[in-house]
């Protein structure tokens, strides 16, 4: 705490000495210019006298200003001197405090025998304080030297200023002498000028007095500097005393270290002896323990081994039994879950089957729903459609439905249009387990939401803004084909049945409107007129014959999808009905207000294998764009 006070005082003293600028007479020397003496023969006029008087007043004001600056400089010097005196007093107090602290420290060391660590700390602090005092002495010596230089400069400046005053006095004497010889008519002006000169002389006397006071102040300041030098010497003596104390402290610390080291050596020897004795006891106890342990192991080894083996056998038997019981429980749980799943599946199938009554009790249209979720397509997505013409005679092989379902299981299409014997259609719908609507002549299988139903078709919600009309046209008729293959008058028979068949188509088309998108899955049991022409590569087709049903649908603005998406009947026949003597397209996809993009033929499981009548059927796959 005391060292901090000393440092603060020294810093304040240095700030005062270095931060203030001392004004001397030398700094004002350049601002005083001696008036130009009047040349001997120069005329003295009223104007020249006025000008001389003004010049004298200006010089008097300048001298007064310089005197004021000298007074201010003297006041600043006095303040610095007072601050220096306060710093010296603070240093004296600090010195007294340090001496007291050193004395108290010495007594405490002699009385309490400080430890080695405390003595080292005290010595370090004393050394640090000595260094700080030495730095302070060095700073004060530098400041004294600087102040001596400033004093010499002030004395030189004072001598120069005295010379200037003397020159100014001589000039005034010459001017007074010049004024006495002026003409009588300028007496009044000369009198005023003399008054001014008298005032100026008074100012010069005052300036002399201030210079004398300044010299006295400088001598007092020099005396203060000598006092400061004396105090610096005292501080050096104090530093020497501090160094002596530090040496004594080091001697005491060395003695304490030697004594402490001797005590530690003695204590270490005692501890080593004690440890050696304890180690001997421990070694003896270890030997006894090993002997007792060996005897105990010999007596208990046989019994423990027997008990361990018996416990292992019991644990193994228990583990095997627990594993067997766990597997039995797992198997029982799996069987229970399988039975429940099978019961649920059979119940769901039974519920689904119950939606379609026996064929003799079936009324159309009939909805068939499963757990298949309802979907909506995006506005511009294409639409895939399958047309599956099944046998118009009931299947004799129960596996046929599975074969047909398997053949299309890898085709992801949202609409399947099925024609054929109604029992075959029902069996396939149940096998596929998808949402469907049974209509006259077949079924339409789709996950789209069914908006409305009719006898031959449905309207579904294709997207948020679009609906589609889907219809089935199933018109079985073998008389014409039989007559054609047997060489009879097939045209006459065809004309006889056309009227009723056309009316049936009209009824189907009437269920919808002409301006809604419509797709028809049709099994017409007669060829398309587009496939028969004189240029056909098939000999029996080389006649220009207009088959009426295909012509009727095209006149009703429907596209024959397969023919619209293939180059010609000569290169892409697209036959869906194949026998030994006849290969024709009798199953179609027709579209209106719907753009067909592509189509292809499709095998449909066992239906595409010739049956007992040597007949094979093929389906159609097509893609549409709904505008």
């Amino acid at each position: 705490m005391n060292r901090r006070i000393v440092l603060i005082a020294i810093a304040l003293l240095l700030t005062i000495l270095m931060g203030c600028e001392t004004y001397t007479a030398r700094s004002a020397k350049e601002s005083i210019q001696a008036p130009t003496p009047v040349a001997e023969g120069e005329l003295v006029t009223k104007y020249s006298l006025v000008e001389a008087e003004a010049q004298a007043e200006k010089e008097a004001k300048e001298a007064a200003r310089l005197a004021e600056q000298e007074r201010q400089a003297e006041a600043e010097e006095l303040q610095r001197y007072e601050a220096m005196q306060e710093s010296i007093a603070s240093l004296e107090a600090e010195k007294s405090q340090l001496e007291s602290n050193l004395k108290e420290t010495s007594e405490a060391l002699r009385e309490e025998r400080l430890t080695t660590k405390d003595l080292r700390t005290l010595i370090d602090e004393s050394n640090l304080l000595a260094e700080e005092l030495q730095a302070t002495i060095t700073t004060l010596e530098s400041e004294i030297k600087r102040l001596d230089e400033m004093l010499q400069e002030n004395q030189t400046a004072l001598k120069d200023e005295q010379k200037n005053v003397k020159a100014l006095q001589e000039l005034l004497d010459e001017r007074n002498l010049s004024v006495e010889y002026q003409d009588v008519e300028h007496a009044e002006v000369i009198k005023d000028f003399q008054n001014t000169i008298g005032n100026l002389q008074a100012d010069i006397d005052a300036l002399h007095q201030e210079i004398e006071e300044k010299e006295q102040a400088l001598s007092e300041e020099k005396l203060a500097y000598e006092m400061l030098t004396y105090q610096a010497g005292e501080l050096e003596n104090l530093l020497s005393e501090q160094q002596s104390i530090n040496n004594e402290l080091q001697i005491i610390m060395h003695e304490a270290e030697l004594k402490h080291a001797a005590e530690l050596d003695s204590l270490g020897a005692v501890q080593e002896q004690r440890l050696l004795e304890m180690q001997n006891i421990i070694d003896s106890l270890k030997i006894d323990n090993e002997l007792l342990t060996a005897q105990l192991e010999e007596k208990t080894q046989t019994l423990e081994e027997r008990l361990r083996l018996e416990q292992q056998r019991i644990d193994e038997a228990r583990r095997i039994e627990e594993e067997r019981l766990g597997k039995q429980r797992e198997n029982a749980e799996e069987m229970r879950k399988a039975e429940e799943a099978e019961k649920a599946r059979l119940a769901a199938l039974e519920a689904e089957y119950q939606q379609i009554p026996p064929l003799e009790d079936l009324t159309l249209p009939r909805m068939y729903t499963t757990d298949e979720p309802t979907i909506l397509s995006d506005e511009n997505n294409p639409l895939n459609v399958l047309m599956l013409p099944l046998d118009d005679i009931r299947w004799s092989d129960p596996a046929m439905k599975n074969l047909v379902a398997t053949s299309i299981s890898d085709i992801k299409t949202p609409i399947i249009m099925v024609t054929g014997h109604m029992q075959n259609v029902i069996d396939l719908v149940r096998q596929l387990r998808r949402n469907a609507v049974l209509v006259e002549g077949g079924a339409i299988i789709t996950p789209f939401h069914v908006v409305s139903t009719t006898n031959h078709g449905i309207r579904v919600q294709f997207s948020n803004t679009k609906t589609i009309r889907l219809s089935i046209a199933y018109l079985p008729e073998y008389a014409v084909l039989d007559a054609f293959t047997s060489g009879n008058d097939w045209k006459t028979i065809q004309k006889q049945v056309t009227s009723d068949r056309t009316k049936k188509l009209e009824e189907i088309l009437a269920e919808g409107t002409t301006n809604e998108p419509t797709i028809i899955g049709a099994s017409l049991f007669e060829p398309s007129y587009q496939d028969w022409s004189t240029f056909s590569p098939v000999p029996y087709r080389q006649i220009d014959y207009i088959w009426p049903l295909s012509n009727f649908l095209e006149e009703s603005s429907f596209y024959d999808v397969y023919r619209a998406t293939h180059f010609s009947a000569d290169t892409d026949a697209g036959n869906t009905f194949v026998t030994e003597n006849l290969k024709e397209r009798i199953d179609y996809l027709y579209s209106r207000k719907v753009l067909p993009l592509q189509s292809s033929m499709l095998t449909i499981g066992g239906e595409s294998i010739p049956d007992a009548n040597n007949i094979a059927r093929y389906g159609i796959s097509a893609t549409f764009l709904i505008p």
Side-chain angles (χ1 to χ4, degrees):
M1 179 64 183
N2 294 328
R3 290 197 299 273
R4 288 198 293 270
I5 295 173
V6 173
L7 293 176
I8 293 172
I10 294 172
L12 180 60
L13 178 61
L14 293 176
T15 303
I16 293 172
L17 294 177
M18 300 297 292
C20 300
E21 179 181 0
T22 304
Y23 177 81
T24 63
R26 176 178 295 182
S27 61
K29 180 180 178 181
E30 296 179 357
S31 62
I32 300 176
Q33 295 181 357
T36 304
V38 180
E40 293 182 357
E42 184 178 357
L43 294 178
V44 178
T45 63
K46 183 179 181 180
Y47 175 75
S48 63
L49 292 175
V50 172
E51 188 177 36
E53 183 179 357
Q55 183 66 26
E57 290 180 358
K58 182 177 180 181
E59 291 173 355
K61 290 180 180 179
E62 183 66 23
R65 185 181 66 81
L66 293 175
E68 181 64 26
Q69 290 180 353
E70 287 292 336
R71 283 193 296 274
Q72 292 178 357
E74 184 180 355
E76 291 176 357
E77 289 291 338
L78 181 60
Q79 289 177 357
R80 285 197 296 272
Y81 177 74
E82 292 174 354
M84 187 180 298
Q85 291 295 329
E86 291 177 358
S87 299
I88 291 171
S90 176
L91 289 174
E92 288 291 341
E94 182 66 22
K95 177 182 176 182
S96 301
Q97 184 66 31
L98 288 174
E99 290 175 351
S100 176
N101 291 340
L102 288 173
K103 189 178 293 183
E104 291 175 359
T105 303
S106 300
E107 292 176 358
L109 287 174
R110 286 192 297 270
E111 292 175 359
E112 298 179 2
R113 292 181 176 273
L114 295 175
T115 62
T116 302
K117 184 176 180 181
D118 295 334
L119 290 173
R120 286 178 179 175
T121 303
L122 185 58
I123 289 171
D124 292 339
E125 292 178 354
S126 300
N127 290 334
L128 181 60
L129 181 59
E131 291 176 0
E132 292 176 353
L133 291 173
Q134 185 62 40
T136 304
I137 291 170
T138 303
T139 304
L140 291 174
E141 289 177 351
S142 300
E143 184 63 23
I144 290 170
K145 185 177 180 181
R146 188 182 65 81
L147 291 173
D148 288 337
E149 292 176 356
M150 291 173 59
L151 180 59
Q152 291 177 3
E153 291 179 357
N154 289 337
Q155 289 175 352
T156 304
L158 183 59
K159 291 178 181 179
D160 294 338
E161 188 172 355
Q162 288 175 351
K163 291 179 181 180
N164 291 334
V165 171
K166 185 176 181 180
L168 184 60
Q169 182 64 39
E170 292 176 356
L171 178 61
L172 289 175
D173 293 339
E174 291 177 0
R175 186 170 294 175
N176 290 332
L177 184 60
S178 175
V179 170
E180 290 176 358
Y181 291 99
Q182 295 299 321
D183 192 74
V184 178
E185 61 183 14
H186 302 297
E188 186 177 354
V189 175
I190 291 172
K191 185 178 181 179
D192 294 337
F193 185 65
Q194 287 176 348
N195 292 333
T196 302
I197 291 173
N199 294 333
L200 185 58
Q201 184 65 41
D203 293 336
I204 290 172
D205 294 337
L207 185 59
H208 277 291
Q209 185 178 358
E210 290 178 359
I211 290 171
E212 291 175 357
E213 294 175 357
K214 181 73 176 297
E215 289 176 350
Q216 185 179 357
L218 288 175
S219 60
E220 293 176 356
E221 186 175 356
K222 184 174 182 181
L223 181 60
Y225 291 158
E226 292 174 356
M227 180 62 69
L228 185 60
T229 303
Y230 171 74
Q231 291 175 354
E234 290 295 324
L235 289 175
E236 288 180 354
N237 295 332
L238 182 61
L239 180 62
S240 299
E241 293 176 1
Q242 179 66 34
Q243 188 65 34
S244 299
I245 294 171
N246 289 343
N247 294 333
E248 293 177 2
L249 291 175
Q250 289 179 354
I251 293 171
I252 294 171
M253 183 184 69
H254 182 65
E255 292 175 355
E257 287 179 350
L258 293 176
K259 184 177 180 181
H260 182 65
E263 291 176 355
L264 288 177
D265 293 339
S266 176
L267 183 60
V270 174
Q271 291 293 334
E272 288 179 358
Q273 182 65 28
R274 180 67 176 169
L275 288 174
L276 183 60
E277 294 175 357
M278 295 298 294
Q279 186 64 41
N280 293 332
I281 295 172
I282 290 171
D283 293 339
S284 177
L285 292 175
K286 283 184 178 179
I287 294 172
D288 294 341
N289 187 37
E290 290 175 356
L291 292 174
L292 293 174
T293 302
Q295 294 174 2
L296 182 62
E297 288 178 352
E298 289 177 0
K299 293 181 180 180
T300 59
Q301 185 175 8
T302 304
L303 180 60
E304 288 180 352
E305 182 67 20
R306 196 180 310 163
L307 292 174
R308 185 179 62 80
L309 294 176
E310 183 65 21
Q311 187 63 38
Q312 288 181 354
R313 188 186 64 78
I314 294 172
D315 292 342
E316 183 66 19
R318 185 182 295 111
R319 184 185 64 79
I320 293 172
E321 181 64 19
E322 289 177 354
E323 289 181 354
R324 186 182 65 80
L325 293 176
K327 290 181 178 179
Q328 286 183 354
R329 287 192 294 269
E330 290 177 359
N331 293 335
E333 182 65 19
E334 291 178 356
M335 290 180 62
R336 184 185 65 78
K337 291 181 178 179
E339 289 177 357
E340 291 179 354
E342 183 63 18
K343 288 180 181 178
R345 187 182 69 81
L346 294 176
L349 286 176
E350 183 63 24
E352 291 178 3
Y353 288 169
Q354 291 299 325
Q355 296 181 63
I356 304 176
L359 194 58
E360 58 273 13
D361 298 330
L362 180 64
T363 57
L364 301 174
R366 168 76 62 172
M367 297 285 293
Y368 182 80
T369 58
T370 64
D371 56 358
E372 181 182 24
T374 302
I375 66 170
L376 271 179
S377 178
D378 292 337
E379 295 294 333
N380 298 320
N381 276 3
L383 175 64
N384 297 322
V385 178
L386 293 184
M387 168 60 184
L388 304 180
L390 305 181
D391 198 342
D392 59 334
I393 300 174
R394 186 170 181 175
W395 288 326
S396 59
D397 185 3
M400 184 63 74
K401 61 183 179 182
N402 187 44
L403 293 175
V404 173
T406 302
S407 68
I408 63 172
S409 61
D410 60 336
I411 302 175
K412 305 300 179 183
T413 179
I415 295 178
I416 303 175
M417 309 182 82
V418 186
T419 61
H421 192 281
M422 184 55 70
Q423 190 60 54
N424 296 342
V425 173
I426 293 172
D427 291 343
L428 179 61
V429 168
R430 286 174 172 170
Q431 183 66 28
L432 292 175
R433 294 199 65 196
R434 295 182 59 185
N435 297 338
V437 179
L438 302 179
V439 296
E440 289 188 10
I444 302 171
I445 303 171
T446 179
F448 288 123
H449 172 66
V450 178
V451 178
S452 61
T453 61
T454 59
N455 290 337
H456 297 88
I458 60 176
R459 180 179 292 107
V460 297
Q461 191 72 40
F462 171 71
S463 66
N464 288 325
T465 60
K466 298 175 183 178
T467 59
I468 310 172
R469 175 74 184 175
L470 304 174
S471 298
I472 295 293
Y474 180 62
L475 304 177
E477 175 55 60
Y478 286 101
V480 177
L481 296 180
D482 289 343
F484 178 79
T485 56
S486 61
N488 296 326
D489 188 4
W490 56 273
K491 292 182 180 180
T492 301
I493 298 174
Q494 199 277 326
K495 291 179 180 179
Q496 292 174 354
V497 300
T498 295
S499 177
D500 293 338
R501 288 159 59 81
T502 304
K503 289 180 180 180
K504 188 67 173 178
L505 276 180
E506 289 176 349
E507 292 177 4
I508 295 172
L509 298 184
E511 292 179 356
T513 62
T514 58
N515 59 356
E516 67 177 333
T518 304
I519 299 175
I520 297 178
S523 292
L524 301 182
F525 287 84
E526 72 174 34
S528 171
Y529 79 93
Q530 296 188 48
D531 298 343
W532 287 48
S533 69
T534 55
F535 302 103
S536 175
V538 181
Y540 68 80
R541 293 182 184 173
Q542 294 176 357
I543 59 174
D544 292 325
Y545 185 77
I546 303 300
W547 288 95
L549 297 186
S550 59
N551 183 58
F552 171 76
L553 287 171
E554 290 195 12
E555 287 179 351
S556 300
S557 302
F558 280 90
Y559 286 107
D560 181 346
V561 173
Y562 188 85
R563 188 54 58 222
T565 55
H566 291 82
F567 181 70
S568 70
D570 300 336
T571 56
D572 299 295
N575 299 321
T576 63
F577 183 84
V578 178
T579 65
E580 184 179 358
N581 300 320
L582 187 67
K583 297 179 181 180
E584 285 295 334
R585 280 196 315 133
I586 66 172
D587 304 289
Y588 308 89
L589 280 173
Y590 280 96
S591 67
R592 182 171 65 186
K593 303 295 183 181
V594 178
L595 179 63
L597 300 178
Q598 64 87 25
S599 63
S600 60
M601 302 306 299
L602 178 71
T603 58
I604 49 178
E607 287 287 358
S608 298
I609 300 174
D611 58 10
N613 296 321
N614 203 24
I615 298 174
R617 304 294 293 272
Y618 294 88
I620 306 170
S621 173
T623 302
F624 300 89
L625 185 63
I626 311 300

mmCIF file of all heavy atoms in Angstrom, residues 550-563:
data_model
loop_
_atom_site.group_PDB
_atom_site.id
_atom_site.type_symbol
_atom_site.label_atom_id
_atom_site.label_comp_id
_atom_site.label_asym_id
_atom_site.label_seq_id
_atom_site.Cartn_x
_atom_site.Cartn_y
_atom_site.Cartn_z
ATOM 1 N N SER A 550 -68.452 -51.935 -86.172
ATOM 2 C CA SER A 550 -67.287 -51.050 -86.118
ATOM 3 C C SER A 550 -67.558 -49.759 -86.878
ATOM 4 O O SER A 550 -67.153 -48.671 -86.461
ATOM 5 C CB SER A 550 -66.056 -51.758 -86.686
ATOM 6 O OG SER A 550 -66.294 -52.159 -88.026
ATOM 7 N N ASN A 551 -68.284 -49.884 -87.998
ATOM 8 C CA ASN A 551 -68.637 -48.685 -88.764
ATOM 9 C C ASN A 551 -69.583 -47.796 -87.954
ATOM 10 O O ASN A 551 -69.454 -46.563 -87.951
ATOM 11 C CB ASN A 551 -69.272 -49.096 -90.081
ATOM 12 C CG ASN A 551 -69.583 -47.892 -90.957
ATOM 13 O OD1 ASN A 551 -68.693 -47.114 -91.302
ATOM 14 N ND2 ASN A 551 -70.860 -47.713 -91.287
ATOM 15 N N PHE A 552 -70.546 -48.419 -87.242
ATOM 16 C CA PHE A 552 -71.502 -47.655 -86.443
ATOM 17 C C PHE A 552 -70.767 -46.872 -85.330
ATOM 18 O O PHE A 552 -71.054 -45.694 -85.086
ATOM 19 C CB PHE A 552 -72.533 -48.603 -85.835
ATOM 20 C CG PHE A 552 -73.428 -47.954 -84.821
ATOM 21 C CD1 PHE A 552 -74.479 -47.120 -85.214
ATOM 22 C CD2 PHE A 552 -73.211 -48.130 -83.449
ATOM 23 C CE1 PHE A 552 -75.277 -46.504 -84.267
ATOM 24 C CE2 PHE A 552 -74.020 -47.520 -82.507
ATOM 25 C CZ PHE A 552 -75.058 -46.708 -82.918
ATOM 26 N N LEU A 553 -69.827 -47.513 -84.651
ATOM 27 C CA LEU A 553 -69.118 -46.839 -83.562
ATOM 28 C C LEU A 553 -68.262 -45.689 -84.087
ATOM 29 O O LEU A 553 -68.174 -44.619 -83.457
ATOM 30 C CB LEU A 553 -68.245 -47.842 -82.805
ATOM 31 C CG LEU A 553 -69.023 -48.822 -81.901
ATOM 32 C CD1 LEU A 553 -68.093 -49.901 -81.365
ATOM 33 C CD2 LEU A 553 -69.678 -48.077 -80.744
ATOM 34 N N GLU A 554 -67.620 -45.881 -85.255
ATOM 35 C CA GLU A 554 -66.808 -44.796 -85.797
ATOM 36 C C GLU A 554 -67.678 -43.638 -86.260
ATOM 37 O O GLU A 554 -67.302 -42.467 -86.121
ATOM 38 C CB GLU A 554 -65.947 -45.313 -86.935
ATOM 39 C CG GLU A 554 -64.839 -46.240 -86.456
ATOM 40 C CD GLU A 554 -63.780 -46.474 -87.513
ATOM 41 O OE1 GLU A 554 -63.795 -45.737 -88.530
ATOM 42 O OE2 GLU A 554 -62.939 -47.367 -87.330
ATOM 43 N N GLU A 555 -68.861 -43.955 -86.801
ATOM 44 C CA GLU A 555 -69.780 -42.881 -87.176
ATOM 45 C C GLU A 555 -70.310 -42.154 -85.943
ATOM 46 O O GLU A 555 -70.775 -41.009 -86.050
ATOM 47 C CB GLU A 555 -70.937 -43.457 -87.988
ATOM 48 C CG GLU A 555 -70.539 -43.870 -89.403
ATOM 49 C CD GLU A 555 -71.700 -44.451 -90.177
ATOM 50 O OE1 GLU A 555 -72.763 -44.687 -89.563
ATOM 51 O OE2 GLU A 555 -71.557 -44.659 -91.393
ATOM 52 N N SER A 556 -70.239 -42.808 -84.782
ATOM 53 C CA SER A 556 -70.650 -42.182 -83.513
ATOM 54 C C SER A 556 -69.469 -41.448 -82.849
ATOM 55 O O SER A 556 -69.518 -41.160 -81.653
ATOM 56 C CB SER A 556 -71.205 -43.224 -82.552
ATOM 57 O OG SER A 556 -72.337 -43.868 -83.114
ATOM 58 N N SER A 557 -68.411 -41.179 -83.641
ATOM 59 C CA SER A 557 -67.244 -40.381 -83.205
ATOM 60 C C SER A 557 -66.315 -41.146 -82.266
ATOM 61 O O SER A 557 -65.575 -40.541 -81.477
ATOM 62 C CB SER A 557 -67.692 -39.075 -82.531
ATOM 63 O OG SER A 557 -68.477 -38.308 -83.402
ATOM 64 N N PHE A 558 -66.310 -42.471 -82.324
ATOM 65 C CA PHE A 558 -65.403 -43.267 -81.507
ATOM 66 C C PHE A 558 -64.179 -43.671 -82.324
ATOM 67 O O PHE A 558 -64.268 -43.907 -83.539
ATOM 68 C CB PHE A 558 -66.096 -44.533 -80.979
ATOM 69 C CG PHE A 558 -66.966 -44.277 -79.773
ATOM 70 C CD1 PHE A 558 -68.307 -43.944 -79.932
ATOM 71 C CD2 PHE A 558 -66.440 -44.351 -78.494
ATOM 72 C CE1 PHE A 558 -69.097 -43.707 -78.825
ATOM 73 C CE2 PHE A 558 -67.240 -44.115 -77.392
ATOM 74 C CZ PHE A 558 -68.567 -43.790 -77.544
ATOM 75 N N TYR A 559 -63.007 -43.717 -81.636
ATOM 76 C CA TYR A 559 -61.777 -44.210 -82.243
ATOM 77 C C TYR A 559 -61.635 -45.704 -81.957
ATOM 78 O O TYR A 559 -61.875 -46.158 -80.825
ATOM 79 C CB TYR A 559 -60.548 -43.508 -81.661
ATOM 80 C CG TYR A 559 -60.349 -42.098 -82.130
ATOM 81 C CD1 TYR A 559 -60.599 -41.029 -81.269
ATOM 82 C CD2 TYR A 559 -59.881 -41.821 -83.402
ATOM 83 C CE1 TYR A 559 -60.404 -39.727 -81.676
ATOM 84 C CE2 TYR A 559 -59.675 -40.516 -83.817
ATOM 85 C CZ TYR A 559 -59.940 -39.475 -82.962
ATOM 86 O OH TYR A 559 -59.747 -38.189 -83.381
ATOM 87 N N ASP A 560 -61.243 -46.463 -82.997
ATOM 88 C CA ASP A 560 -60.766 -47.831 -82.792
ATOM 89 C C ASP A 560 -59.327 -47.697 -82.273
ATOM 90 O O ASP A 560 -58.396 -47.396 -83.020
ATOM 91 C CB ASP A 560 -60.816 -48.597 -84.112
ATOM 92 C CG ASP A 560 -60.359 -50.048 -83.962
ATOM 93 O OD1 ASP A 560 -59.772 -50.385 -82.918
ATOM 94 O OD2 ASP A 560 -60.552 -50.832 -84.907
ATOM 95 N N VAL A 561 -59.125 -47.898 -80.950
ATOM 96 C CA VAL A 561 -57.868 -47.538 -80.299
ATOM 97 C C VAL A 561 -56.693 -48.298 -80.889
ATOM 98 O O VAL A 561 -55.649 -47.704 -81.212
ATOM 99 C CB VAL A 561 -57.970 -47.782 -78.775
ATOM 100 C CG1 VAL A 561 -56.614 -47.581 -78.103
ATOM 101 C CG2 VAL A 561 -59.011 -46.857 -78.172
ATOM 102 N N TYR A 562 -56.836 -49.601 -81.077
ATOM 103 C CA TYR A 562 -55.699 -50.372 -81.583
ATOM 104 C C TYR A 562 -55.344 -49.951 -82.995
ATOM 105 O O TYR A 562 -54.167 -49.768 -83.319
ATOM 106 C CB TYR A 562 -56.017 -51.875 -81.541
ATOM 107 C CG TYR A 562 -54.810 -52.724 -81.870
ATOM 108 C CD1 TYR A 562 -53.892 -53.066 -80.888
ATOM 109 C CD2 TYR A 562 -54.586 -53.177 -83.179
ATOM 110 C CE1 TYR A 562 -52.766 -53.827 -81.176
ATOM 111 C CE2 TYR A 562 -53.460 -53.926 -83.485
ATOM 112 C CZ TYR A 562 -52.562 -54.257 -82.479
ATOM 113 O OH TYR A 562 -51.451 -55.009 -82.784
ATOM 114 N N ARG A 563 -56.345 -49.776 -83.833
ATOM 115 C CA ARG A 563 -56.048 -49.413 -85.210
ATOM 116 C C ARG A 563 -55.521 -47.972 -85.298
ATOM 117 O O ARG A 563 -54.678 -47.649 -86.138
ATOM 118 C CB ARG A 563 -57.323 -49.567 -86.073
ATOM 119 C CG ARG A 563 -57.098 -49.402 -87.558
ATOM 120 C CD ARG A 563 -56.010 -50.326 -88.116
ATOM 121 N NE ARG A 563 -56.298 -51.723 -87.867
ATOM 122 C CZ ARG A 563 -55.393 -52.597 -87.483
ATOM 123 N NH1 ARG A 563 -54.136 -52.202 -87.270
ATOM 124 N NH2 ARG A 563 -55.697 -53.861 -87.274
#
